[in-house]
Amino acid sequence: MTIPTPDPNALRTTFSFSPPVDDAAAWNLNLDDFANRILQAFPGAGTSPQGPMGPRGADTLSFEVPLGGGIWLEGLAATPFPGMGSVMAITASADEAAVLARWLRDTVAPAPDLVCFTSEHALDLGETEYERIPAHGDVHDIAQVLQAHIESVRA
């Protein structure tokens, strides 16, 4: 999976992807399995367990994924409770985060409609509602949804 030509002027934020709030264990997220899957899906990727973080001592895993053209996506997966967790794309453009979102939808989520997202910008504004990535479509379709989100919370 590759992204379009990088745009140095693209808006960047940290995106958080997770299962729906009312089905928080839907992904049955396991960090060892997640690390193995990401290493298989993205040749050259790297993962590193980070240990407990945050007030609940969530187990965490950092990762780096090569997207092509010298671009790397950094992320963090966290599981505050067994089987429950979220995955962040850190300081990413919509195009970059869309690669991760599609992979999550097609590989980690047990059904394509079980990937929700928000962003650091939205949370900073007090937004508490998560949106869903498209259940179907390619990286470009997902990037359009993520970009519209960024633009709406920055307006």
Side-chain angles (χ1 to χ4, degrees):
M1 286 186 246
T2 58
I3 62 167
T5 305
D7 178 359
N9 299 316
L11 296 173
R12 297 181 134 2
T13 189
T14 295
F15 289 94
S16 178
F17 300 100
S18 67
V21 173
D22 61 352
D23 195 5
W27 293 0
N28 194 27
L29 192 60
N30 172 287
L31 296 183
D32 290 334
D33 180 55
F34 181 86
N36 289 332
R37 286 181 182 204
I38 211 161
L39 292 171
Q40 290 175 3
F42 299 95
T47 64
S48 177
Q50 297 299 305
M53 289 185 177
R56 295 184 187 222
D59 289 329
T60 57
L61 176 83
S62 65
F63 59 89
E64 295 178 320
V65 173
L67 299 178
I71 297 172
W72 288 78
L73 175 68
E74 293 183 23
L76 185 72
T79 54
F81 300 103
M84 296 176 152
S86 62
V87 177
M88 291 184 289
I90 300 171
T91 315
S93 70
D95 288 337
E96 295 161 359
V99 174
L100 179 63
R102 180 180 180 193
W103 179 78
L104 289 167
R105 181 194 69 193
D106 296 348
T107 306
V108 175
D113 63 339
L114 294 177
V115 181
C116 298
F117 75 94
T118 191
S119 69
E120 179 180 24
H121 292 310
L123 294 172
D124 285 347
L125 292 173
E127 300 278 334
T128 59
E129 295 296 317
Y130 277 61
E131 299 179 46
R132 290 186 192 246
I133 67 162
H136 305 286
D138 61 13
V139 170
H140 178 74
D141 297 327
I142 296 169
Q144 287 181 319
V145 170
L146 297 178
Q147 185 65 38
H149 168 83
I150 291 174
E151 290 171 2
S152 73
V153 298
R154 290 184 58 103

